Amino acid sequence: MKKEMNKLLLQMVKYDLGSGLLISLMIILISTFINAGIYMAGMCASLINFLISGYVVRNCLTKSRAWIILVTYFLRMGFIILTILPFVKNIQYMICYMLGFCSHYVLLIGLNIMRRKGSV
């Protein structure tokens, strides 16, 4: 189980960073370097959140310490709030950040659709 989880997490890092850089390059062509950097910051914050979640769930479910999952949930939400605070004053920056943050989940769904074997 641990090898499969590690493989999934590493695959997600590869897809996120690769597609994030590609989309950031397109944003640089359309808009500014700052918007592309903020998009990538959102993508990285989402990826860090995902990796921490995967690590905590993998380690805490096997050792029956499920209460740690709840505590880390609030810590991860605090991390997300702290990462978006610098962009609160500018709505364009917040939109770029949220697009980066949400695109991680779109990529996660796409990766799982590609990995699905068989039907049902």
Side-chain angles (χ1 to χ4, degrees):
M1 178 70 179
K2 283 188 178 185
K3 285 185 181 181
E4 185 175 325
M5 180 69 101
N6 287 340
K7 184 179 176 185
L8 173 69
L9 292 176
L10 289 175
Q11 243 182 353
M12 198 64 226
V13 168
K14 184 172 60 172
Y15 280 113
D16 264 2
L17 294 179
S19 63
L21 287 174
L22 181 67
I23 294 171
S24 290
L25 289 175
M26 288 191 285
I27 291 173
I28 288 173
L29 294 174
I30 296 170
S31 184
T32 64
F33 184 76
I34 293 172
N35 290 340
I38 292 171
Y39 173 86
M40 202 60 196
M43 176 79 82
C44 289
S46 181
L47 182 61
I48 290 168
N49 188 26
F50 177 73
L51 291 174
I52 291 171
S53 174
Y55 179 78
V56 167
V57 167
R58 182 186 68 192
N59 288 333
C60 292
L61 285 182
T62 57
K63 297 176 182 168
S64 68
R65 292 185 290 182
W67 62 272
I68 294 176
I69 296 173
L70 182 65
V71 171
T72 58
Y73 174 79
F74 289 109
L75 291 174
R76 290 185 297 120
M77 291 303 113
F79 168 72
I80 292 167
I81 291 169
L82 286 176
T83 57
I84 202 169
L85 279 178
F87 314 121
V88 170
K89 300 285 184 190
N90 192 332
I91 191 73
Q92 182 181 2
Y93 292 169
M94 282 185 65
I95 290 171
C96 288
Y97 180 87
M98 290 308 297
L99 285 173
F101 196 86
C102 293
S103 64
H104 161 76
Y105 295 103
V106 172
L107 290 170
L108 183 63
I109 291 169
L111 178 64
N112 284 329
I113 288 172
M114 289 178 6
R115 287 178 38 96
R116 185 173 59 176
K117 298 176 179 128
S119 61
V120 180

